[in-house]
Amino acid sequence: MVRRPEDTRRPDDRDQRRPADLPLTLGVFVAILAALMPVLGVVKPWPWLGVSLLLVILILGAGYVARRYRLPAVAVSLIEVSIWAVALTFLYFRDTALLWLIPTPETFRAIPESIAVASNDIALGAAPLQAGPELSFLIVGATALLAIIIDHVVLTARMPLLAGVGLIAVSLIPSIAVPRGIEVWSFVLLAGAILFLIRADTRSREPQGEREASRSAGVPATALGIGAIAVVVAVVAAPLLPQPTAQPGGAGIGAGPGIDVTLQLGDDLRRPRETVSLLVHTDMSSAPYLRAATLSEFTGSVWQPDRSRSLPLGSEFALSDVSVEPDVRVAEYTTTVEVRDLVSPWLPVTFPAVAVNGLQGDWEAVPYNRTVLSRTTSTAGQVYEIVSHQPRPTLEQMRAANSGGPQIRDDTTALPDDLPTIIRDTAQEVTANATNDYDALAELQRWFRGGAFRYSLDAPVEDGFDGSGADAVAKFLDVKEGYCVHFASAFALMARTLGMPSRIVVGYLPGNATNDSVDGETVYEVTSSMLHSWPEVYFDGIGWVPFEPTTGLGVPTTFAPAATSQGSADNPQDSPLEPSTSATPDLPESDRNTGDSGTTDASSTTTSMNPLPSVGIVIVILLFLAIPAVLRAVQTRSLLRAAEQGDAVAAWLVVVDAAIDLGIPVPASESPRSLGRRLIDESGAPLAQTTQLVRAIERASYAQGGKHRLWESTPLSDAATAVRTALFENASSAQRLVAVMVPRSLVIRPGSVYAGAGARARSRSRS
């Protein structure tokens, strides 16, 4: 017989000219769509989502058409990259392009600028971001590039599992940037798409006889079982597992708790496990508050982090001197912070900071609010020193100062038109007897902490107002129960109704004193549950003054009369402006108890241990480890049931899968007869049953019509069971354990390169 030219091509040549596969192409599109869904919670979908999907369709469609014409893989990728480049140029840089389509040197110079603007929006913005042209370009370009890569990995390289790993990593990025709960539907869609890609690719490699056997052996049901188990583990078990921690001494981005500056602190405060985030020592008389970010703009539903110009930390105007009235004293303090378990681009600092020394990496300061952040590194492993100049006004100076000033931004005083009336009415009622701005704020602070309100992490969630919007604040004022977010938001909004500029600070409560000291300074321990928010109000000639309305936490802001004030501006023992003498709450003892989740409130120093979560985690881990063995047992049972009906392919697969699990090579070039003889000679397979299975698979493979179910004197299922049992009995204990706990045949199919790479038989043949 004369072989056709295509039959004489090398395998590598055939692999580089993959045929068009519409199901795989559609599967890639669905998988990319599923990977994009978590981004919708971080960036508003208009206009980038529609553009991204359209460009992905164009790229995948071009790849499909190119493969229909059997173009080489390199040509397919070049076509897709060309579409990507031309489309992005036309959409975002056509003013700099030749004929609106062809990039020019000016186009390439504009790209880094757009990426820098988009990165700045991401670093300083609050979710959900409004995508401008630069951010849209970044997302659309990255999505289309991902489509090119996944198309090549799945359609050309035929490695859908590797593509699945990449898609999962992409889908996790938004969750890392803005921690939220598991999005079940996007996870289910992504998992289903990846399983479909793996199954479709596997079926395209199988001979026709094995495809029919897989249908009868219940492989689709097994795939559905894997998907269901994955969803259960992700949704139920994953939140119970302990979170990874950052290693001390490291730098850069890593694993560990972060800071959510969008005021979504409820989940952070309800963490099931408390860790030490920071160690602090200072020359102040007590531990200071540490701020990470400020939020001034209130939309009616959320508080937005300040969007202000930042400067390199070491520049002249990054952290300038504090400007106050000449008669207001200013004290200098030095605080050292060691980061233990915190990964965040926002650096916890004292206020108002005038210098930060010892940081590793590139950091920037925002002059407007004296916060420090980085776009390229994180707080992990940092040890740094903060110098702060804190104003020391007297009570008389505070009462004489007016709240506000010409330099105040409008976003610190703006209120929504539909603000619930309870907020304004309550503020006026509480402060009716005040004769100056400071006394009005002091009355508000005293009212919140006076005993009518109760601190609770659970009640807001049960009543459905776990947020900081105007409606949530109105509900909070009605039920008088909530946590720091509600207290801070209510205080800030009530201050604005009185005509006073206000903002909210996100950071940490003062830490708890330890038995350690550095240079005579007590070391304070700041834990992850001390994440906190508090309001600030601006006073002309003094600056931003913090208040502490949250009942049971921190220390309320007070100022001493001039007659009783002691110390001078250069005396570090003056009581700091920011309340920081203690982080111990003045809650009733019954309110300090550990909640159901096993966490204490933000100031607890001890945590009662509930063994049930640990036992549950152990059980979940054991069940997870048993999943491969269970799946292999279910699949083997399905094959044996098919073999009972005379299905020779199913019976032979039982033997082949057992060989792969035990490390016996099953190369694609070896016939069933040759493999059967080797199993008899080298692996202890029984002669009669193995011969019966070999003859059955040969008849099934070469009989007219490819029929599998032929009459046998002994059921094929019995023969397959006998051979499988013999193979396991003749294997070592270690091989049997690995074969049961980690069955390789679940991922390595007969005839693949890995199936022919067993080590056991080769080592025996050498001996």
Side-chain angles (χ1 to χ4, degrees):
M1 181 178 67
V2 179
R3 302 182 67 187
R4 292 180 296 176
E6 60 267 28
D7 295 332
T8 60
R9 289 183 308 191
R10 294 176 299 148
D12 292 342
D13 296 332
R14 291 195 300 271
D15 290 342
Q16 295 302 314
R17 295 175 182 266
R18 295 289 188 186
D21 195 323
L22 184 58
L24 278 177
T25 301
L26 294 176
V28 168
F29 175 76
V30 174
I32 293 174
L33 174 62
L36 284 179
M37 289 181 66
V39 183
L40 301 181
V42 180
V43 184
K44 294 180 180 179
W46 178 258
W48 63 267
L49 181 59
V51 178
S52 297
L53 295 180
L54 179 60
L55 187 52
V56 169
I57 291 173
L58 289 176
I59 289 172
L60 297 181
Y64 174 77
V65 173
R67 291 187 181 91
R68 281 188 63 87
Y69 286 93
R70 296 285 183 163
L71 296 182
V74 174
V76 175
S77 297
L78 286 177
I79 291 173
E80 294 178 338
V81 170
S82 299
I83 293 175
W84 173 73
V86 170
L88 291 179
T89 302
F90 176 76
L91 290 170
Y92 301 103
F93 302 102
R94 55 177 173 268
D95 293 340
T96 65
L98 181 64
L99 300 177
W100 294 353
L101 298 174
I102 303 174
T104 63
E106 187 179 354
T107 304
F108 290 106
R109 286 193 294 269
I111 291 175
E113 297 177 2
S114 296
I115 295 176
V117 172
S119 301
N120 187 68
D121 291 342
I122 295 172
L124 300 179
L129 297 171
Q130 180 63 52
E134 295 82 7
L135 185 55
S136 294
F137 159 69
L138 183 62
I139 299 176
V140 172
T143 302
L145 185 61
L146 175 67
I148 297 173
I149 296 172
I150 298 300
D151 179 75
H152 178 82
V153 172
V154 174
L155 275 299
T156 300
R158 294 301 174 108
M159 294 188 291
L161 188 59
L162 178 61
V165 173
L167 289 167
I168 292 172
V170 170
S171 69
L172 289 176
I173 293 175
S175 299
I176 296 172
V178 181
R180 293 178 299 163
I182 296 175
E183 296 183 355
V184 178
W185 290 111
S186 64
F187 174 80
V188 171
L189 183 61
L190 180 59
I194 293 174
L195 288 173
F196 172 79
L197 291 177
I198 295 173
R199 181 58 184 156
D201 177 71
T202 302
R203 289 186 62 78
S204 68
R205 298 170 183 265
E206 294 176 347
Q208 183 65 30
E210 292 188 11
R211 294 186 194 179
E212 296 178 5
S214 66
R215 289 194 189 99
S216 62
V219 173
T222 302
L224 288 175
I226 294 175
I229 292 173
V231 171
V232 170
V233 170
V235 177
V236 178
L240 299 176
L241 298 176
Q243 299 183 9
T245 59
Q247 296 300 322
I253 298 174
I259 300 175
D260 188 348
V261 299
T262 61
L263 280 193
Q264 305 299 317
L265 298 180
D267 291 336
D268 291 327
L269 295 174
R270 289 185 287 268
R271 290 179 186 271
R273 186 175 66 91
E274 187 176 55
T275 61
V276 177
S277 298
L278 310 167
L279 293 179
V280 179
H281 63 89
T282 179
D283 58 6
M284 298 182 188
S285 58
S286 58
Y289 280 65
L290 297 171
R291 68 179 49 217
T294 60
L295 301 87
S296 300
E297 181 182 353
F298 182 66
T299 65
S301 57
V302 294
W303 288 85
Q304 301 279 11
D306 292 337
R307 303 170 185 267
S308 302
R309 182 173 62 102
S310 60
L311 299 174
L313 185 59
S315 62
E316 180 181 358
F317 300 103
L319 295 174
S320 58
D321 290 337
V322 174
S323 177
V324 297
E325 290 294 328
D327 58 341
V328 175
R329 296 182 303 157
V330 177
E332 179 176 299
Y333 300 101
T334 301
T335 302
T336 302
V337 178
E338 177 184 348
V339 178
R340 283 298 182 91
D341 188 13
L342 174 66
V343 179
S344 172
W346 306 89
L347 190 76
V349 295
T350 53
F351 181 79
V354 296
V356 180
N357 305 312
L359 288 171
Q360 302 297 318
D362 296 327
W363 291 84
E364 298 178 355
V366 181
Y368 172 67
N369 55 21
R370 296 182 184 269
T371 57
V372 180
L373 68 153
S374 175
R375 295 180 176 86
T376 59
T377 186
S378 77
T379 57
Q382 300 280 357
V383 179
Y384 54 98
E385 181 184 83
I386 312 154
V387 179
S388 58
H389 290 173
Q390 297 190 356
R392 318 301 308 152
T394 64
L395 178 60
E396 291 81 3
Q397 289 171 330
M398 286 299 303
R399 285 175 170 168
N402 292 320
S403 177
Q407 67 274 38
I408 290 301
R409 298 182 178 181
D410 292 340
D411 56 8
T412 62
T413 58
L415 289 168
D417 296 334
D418 57 348
L419 186 74
T421 57
I422 188 176
I423 299 176
R424 190 183 306 272
D425 293 345
T426 303
Q428 294 176 351
E429 179 183 349
V430 173
T431 62
N433 297 325
T435 57
N436 57 75
D437 290 344
Y438 171 73
D439 282 347
L441 296 173
E443 287 294 335
L444 274 181
Q445 179 178 253
R446 191 178 304 112
W447 179 69
F448 278 115
R449 300 180 64 93
F453 286 82
R454 179 176 177 270
Y455 183 91
S456 172
L457 291 174
D458 300 322
V461 179
E462 294 174 358
D463 291 340
F465 63 100
D466 194 5
S468 57
D471 292 338
V473 170
K475 181 75 170 180
F476 165 68
L477 294 176
D478 180 36
V479 301
K480 293 182 172 55
E481 195 168 358
Y483 54 94
C484 61
V485 168
H486 302 97
F487 285 93
S489 186
F491 189 100
L493 291 179
M494 294 168 79
R496 290 189 180 186
T497 64
L498 300 174
M500 306 181 196
S502 64
R503 67 186 183 189
I504 292 178
V505 183
V506 175
Y508 284 96
L509 283 164
N512 297 313
T514 68
N515 295 325
D516 299 330
S517 63
V518 175
D519 297 332
E521 298 174 354
T522 300
V523 175
Y524 298 91
E525 188 177 82
V526 180
T527 63
S528 56
S529 64
M530 290 182 176
L531 274 174
H532 190 51
S533 60
W534 61 93
E536 288 183 334
V537 178
Y538 189 86
F539 282 83
D540 192 22
I542 296 175
W544 288 98
V545 177
F547 290 85
E548 183 55 276
T550 304
T551 182
L553 294 183
V555 173
T557 297
T558 58
F559 296 91
T564 59
S565 298
Q566 297 179 359
S568 61
D570 56 356
N571 181 4
Q573 296 306 317
D574 284 340
S575 176
L577 172 62
E578 211 158 341
S580 59
T581 59
S582 174
T584 304
D586 50 12
L587 290 173
E589 190 66 29
S590 60
D591 293 340
R592 301 182 190 178
N593 293 336
T594 301
D596 294 338
S597 64
T599 59
T600 59
D601 58 40
S603 63
S604 301
T605 58
T606 60
T607 302
S608 60
M609 298 301 296
N610 184 354
L612 292 181
S614 300
V615 174
I617 291 173
V618 172
I619 293 175
V620 169
I621 293 175
L622 293 177
L623 290 175
F624 184 77
L625 293 176
I627 288 175
V630 173
L631 292 177
R632 166 46 56 219
V634 170
Q635 196 172 64
T636 300
R637 185 179 295 274
S638 298
L639 291 171
L640 289 175
R641 281 200 299 267
E644 288 178 358
Q645 306 300 320
D647 193 332
V649 174
W652 186 246
L653 283 176
V654 172
V655 175
V656 173
D657 287 343
I660 293 174
D661 292 339
L662 292 168
I664 301 172
V666 185
S669 59
E670 193 170 25
S671 66
R673 180 170 296 190
S674 175
L675 175 59
R677 173 54 58 187
R678 184 159 54 82
L679 293 179
I680 294 171
D681 294 341
E682 300 177 359
S683 302
L687 176 61
Q689 288 85 349
T690 305
T691 302
Q692 179 185 358
L693 293 176
V694 169
R695 290 175 178 173
I697 190 62
E698 288 179 342
R699 286 198 300 269
S701 300
Y702 303 113
Q704 185 176 3
K707 294 181 180 179
H708 303 159
R709 294 169 175 79
L710 302 175
W711 178 86
E712 295 284 347
S713 57
T714 302
L716 291 178
S717 59
D718 293 346
T721 301
V723 175
R724 185 178 187 278
T725 302
L727 294 179
F728 271 82
E729 289 178 349
N730 283 276
S732 66
S733 299
Q735 288 172 326
R736 288 197 297 269
L737 179 62
V738 173
V740 172
M741 297 301 298
V742 191
R744 300 166 67 237
S745 61
L746 289 177
V747 293
I748 298 177
R749 303 309 303 156
S752 66
V753 175
Y754 298 103
R760 176 185 169 205
R762 288 201 300 269
S763 62
R764 286 191 174 186
S765 63
R766 292 194 189 98
S767 61

